[in-house]
Amino acid sequence: MDEHTAPVLILAPSGRDAAVAAAILGEVGVSATVCPDLDALVSDLDRAGGAIVTEEALLHSDRRALATWVRQQPPWSDFPFVLLTSRGGHADTSLTELLGNVTVLERPFHPSVLVNAVRCASRARQRQHEAEAYLLERKQSEEHQMLLIRELQHRVKNTLATVQALLRATSRSASSVEEFKQVFEARVLSLSRTHYLLVETSWRTALLRDILQSELGPYDDGAGTRVLLSGPAVELPAELALPIGMAIHELTTNAAKYGAFSTSRGWLEVEWDVRGQDGGRKLELWWSEHDGPPVEPPSRKGFGSRLIQRLLMTQCRAEFEFAFDRPGLRFQMSVPLLGAGLEEMSAWRAGEPSSVSRPQWAGGTSQPWRGRPSSGPDLEPRRVRPSLS
């Protein structure tokens, strides 16, 4: 707000003072609004950059509304007034006390005196609004900081609980200290990688493709032929990114132990899409392994499958299905994109299907990506799949 956008109010109902003052200010580019009475002036004070009032206009008016407005100004505000008095007289003490921040001009005066007084008043009002904006920004920053602290406490608590659950479950399923160390370390590293992706966006979202590449990159052959990813750019909110990232890690670990990544010929295809409209949008993902060892239905449910079930059902409200086909494991899931993170979902392809239907496993266009060399867990390939470990 400046002197060009915030008008100066003029209250001078007697004589030609109002017209003369408005003309003087207009010549130097200062916007002025003439008020017919004190009530009109008070109603416009919040939007003004200052006010010129004559002494007689206040002395002969009910000043209670003006006194209330002045008294109820916020802490940053000290509205500037210019009070015009009569020749040879002294400003009424009750008026100067009422107005507070007041400049007294004795009539008659040179036009430049009025212009300087008004410009000083307008600049002072502008600085007050700048102080208001600063205080508001500081308050919002403090509130945001407190919100982040509470959110951090919540996330740390949840993360520690997840690590504790991983520790207990891995210790129950491991057959040796070395196996426990290897599996537990891999799961914690997976959790940390997803955390890193979220930190890059101030813990708001993580790209689904980035999560997949983070987990699958170590198993690609460098030519982009063992891992094929296809789907639109989808940003998952933090409450979905962590459980989905852990589920993808378990699927990847299983593929390395028993599936497509346990042989030199095996390869993996992952496709995804966002379907539905408005509140019914869902993330659909299909995981298909090819040319790995012959797949047998599991004889027992391992921790990996239990973890996927708990993460996807409890935290994501997802529907999912495993297909233990002889050519390779197939997995599909449908995750509702609802809740706190919905407004942060990124754009998806135009013209997508408006209703969710169960797709065929075969078909679709896959675009390979070239994985970056990285050291993953040293997993010994096996020919028989007992379960998702």
Side-chain angles (χ1 to χ4, degrees), residues 225-237:
T225 59
R226 298 202 69 188
V227 179
L228 292 89
L229 303 181
S230 177
V234 177
E235 289 185 348
L236 297 175

Side-chain angles (χ1 to χ4, degrees), residues 55-67:
E55 187 176 33
E56 59 272 17
L58 295 180
L59 289 174
H60 300 117
S61 301
D62 184 346
R63 301 189 294 271
R64 286 177 295 181
L66 177 60

Side-chain angles (χ1 to χ4, degrees), residues 79-311:
F79 191 87
F81 292 91
V82 176
L83 180 64
L84 307 184
T85 64
S86 302
R87 180 197 298 269
H90 297 282
D92 190 289
T93 304
S94 63
L95 297 184
T96 56
E97 290 179 353
L98 166 66
L99 300 177
N101 182 13
V102 58
T103 299
V104 179
L105 297 183
E106 180 182 323
R107 292 171 287 186
F109 43 75
H110 193 274
S112 62
V113 175
L114 178 64
V115 170
N116 290 336
V118 169
R119 280 180 166 167
C120 288
S122 296
R123 283 195 294 270
R125 190 59 176 170
Q126 181 179 350
R127 295 295 182 267
Q128 292 172 20
H129 281 290
E130 291 172 356
E132 176 197 19
Y134 171 78
L135 293 174
L136 178 60
E137 181 181 359
R138 182 172 179 177
K139 180 181 178 181
Q140 291 175 340
S141 177
E142 291 175 350
E143 291 175 350
H144 182 63
Q145 185 179 34
M146 292 303 299
L147 177 62
L148 289 179
I149 290 174
R150 290 194 295 269
E151 185 174 356
L152 178 61
Q153 292 173 336
H154 173 71
R155 295 193 186 281
V156 168
K157 181 180 178 180
N158 287 348
T159 300
L160 292 177
T162 300
V163 172
Q164 188 178 30
L166 290 174
L167 175 64
R168 289 197 300 263
T170 306
S171 64
R172 287 196 297 266
S173 61
S175 58
S176 66
V177 174
E178 186 61 31
E179 181 184 359
F180 166 80
K181 177 182 177 182
Q182 185 181 62
V183 175
F184 182 67
E185 182 179 275
R187 285 168 174 162
V188 172
L189 286 175
S190 171
L191 189 64
S192 69
R193 283 193 293 267
T194 306
H195 273 241
Y196 176 78
L197 293 175
L198 290 169
V199 168
E200 289 294 293
T201 61
S202 299
W203 205 271
R204 293 191 300 272
T205 62
L207 281 169
L208 174 61
R209 181 178 291 270
D210 288 346
I211 295 174
L212 286 164
Q213 290 179 349
S214 175
E215 291 294 338
L216 299 173
Y219 303 100
D220 195 27
D221 58 0
T225 59
R226 298 202 69 188
V227 179
L228 292 89
L229 303 181
S230 177
V234 177
E235 289 185 348
L236 297 175
E239 58 266 29
L240 294 182
L242 284 176
I244 289 178
M246 289 297 297
I248 290 172
H249 170 74
E250 295 303 321
L251 289 169
T252 303
T253 301
N254 187 76
K257 284 185 175 182
Y258 316 116
F261 296 150
S262 67
T263 67
S264 59
R265 296 177 58 253
W267 58 283
L268 170 69
E269 182 178 22
V270 183
E271 298 178 87
W272 68 91
D273 203 354
V274 176
R275 299 184 172 184
Q277 294 180 347
D278 301 327
R281 290 193 177 99
K282 292 184 177 182
L283 169 66
E284 303 281 337
L285 183 142
W286 304 275
W287 172 289
S288 304
E289 299 181 25
H290 306 273
D291 296 336
V295 175
E296 298 291 342
S299 58
R300 63 180 178 84
K301 181 180 287 187
F303 171 68
S305 58
R306 293 197 303 272
L307 178 62
I308 290 175
Q309 180 176 354
R310 183 166 66 248
L311 290 171

